Amino acid sequence: MSTEPNNHYHHLAFGPDALNRQQRNGSYLAYGRHTERADDGPQRLDDRELLMIRRADQFCLATVTPNGWPYLQYRSGPAGFVRYLPETGRLRFIDLPGNNQFVTLGNLAADDRLAMFFVDYPRRSRLKVFGRGTVIEDGPQREIEIAVEAFDWNCSRSIIPRFDREYLRELGEAYQAKFDGREAELQAEIEALKARVAELESR
């Protein structure tokens, strides 16, 4: 069984110029060489990616205009607003009303390719997801469903940490739980020492 990573992202993202630059700059062995194998085909999201997506309360969505230009939008909602559909391996989110320009919807009607960019600022991690989007309009709310093609984790080097109230609350609860556990341990040790002293004094 091959231990090589799925190379679908590499085939989608790396063109001839990118590969040439990787060869000149010494990064080809880490990235470009994976394109020497036949394309492994679409990737399926795993636990690590799903945890990142379920935590997300925001992401950037990129589509392609009919003129070939990238078009970027910001989407947000409560954590978990991007849902995972395990039966199909797809993602789905509610397309909330915006400024009624309908550029993203128009782009997807002509070219279903899209990219989602997730950033977890407190944990300094970021995830790119390539996929094909379908607009679902058969319910009370319009949704966009994404058939995932590939994904890639970026390095954390240039991410500036930002901490929201929810993260700080979770962090505080974790520290409090740790403190409470340690306090209970110390109290048990004190009681054991008291019992030992009482035993020695009674002799």
Side-chain angles (χ1 to χ4, degrees):
M1 182 176 178
S2 174
T3 58
E4 292 281 9
N6 184 295
N7 67 359
H8 192 43
Y9 170 82
H10 305 79
H11 278 278
L12 294 180
F14 301 153
D17 289 332
L19 293 173
N20 287 336
R21 285 181 178 272
Q22 289 175 18
Q23 288 175 328
R24 294 198 302 270
N25 287 276
S27 59
Y28 181 82
L29 288 178
Y31 304 112
R33 71 175 180 84
H34 296 296
T35 61
E36 296 173 5
R37 295 186 287 113
D39 193 330
D40 292 329
Q43 293 174 271
R44 192 174 180 92
L45 297 168
D46 209 342
D47 291 342
R48 183 187 178 201
E49 292 75 43
L50 293 177
L51 178 61
M52 173 80 161
I53 291 168
R54 286 171 178 144
R55 282 175 172 167
D57 58 6
Q58 59 182 314
F59 73 93
C60 289
L61 176 67
T63 54
V64 184
T65 70
N67 294 322
W69 287 89
Y71 182 75
L72 194 65
Q73 279 196 320
Y74 173 83
R75 299 299 176 97
S76 63
F81 81 104
V82 180
R83 311 189 312 279
Y84 175 65
L85 310 177
E87 64 276 8
T88 62
R90 296 185 174 196
L91 299 173
R92 185 185 281 204
F93 64 91
I94 295 173
D95 185 41
L96 297 174
N99 55 17
N100 292 327
Q101 290 185 1
F102 302 115
V103 178
T104 292
L105 300 182
N107 290 345
L108 291 175
D111 185 336
D112 65 356
R113 291 176 299 170
L114 57 75
M116 307 169 78
F117 189 68
F118 297 90
V119 182
D120 184 333
Y121 290 99
R123 300 171 182 85
R124 299 184 67 209
S125 58
R126 50 186 174 173
L127 173 69
K128 290 195 298 280
V129 177
F130 287 178
R132 295 186 178 275
T134 302
V135 180
I136 310 293
E137 300 192 82
D138 59 356
Q141 293 179 303
R142 183 173 60 235
E143 296 189 299
I144 295 178
E145 186 170 294
I146 300 95
V148 176
E149 285 281 340
F151 58 83
D152 185 58
W153 289 89
N154 289 100
C155 72
S156 62
R157 181 176 55 207
S158 60
I159 299 176
I160 299 172
R162 292 181 173 88
F163 305 98
D164 58 22
R165 288 190 182 93
E166 181 64 19
Y167 179 80
L168 292 175
R169 182 188 64 78
E170 291 177 2
L171 197 62
E173 289 178 353
Y175 275 112
Q176 186 63 48
K178 185 175 181 181
F179 173 78
D180 291 345
R182 182 58 180 151
E183 185 180 33
E185 290 177 6
L186 291 172
Q187 189 61 43
E189 290 178 14
I190 291 170
E191 294 302 323
L193 288 171
K194 284 181 178 179
R196 180 58 176 160
V197 170
E199 178 187 348
L200 292 172
E201 288 178 343
S202 65
R203 289 181 180 178

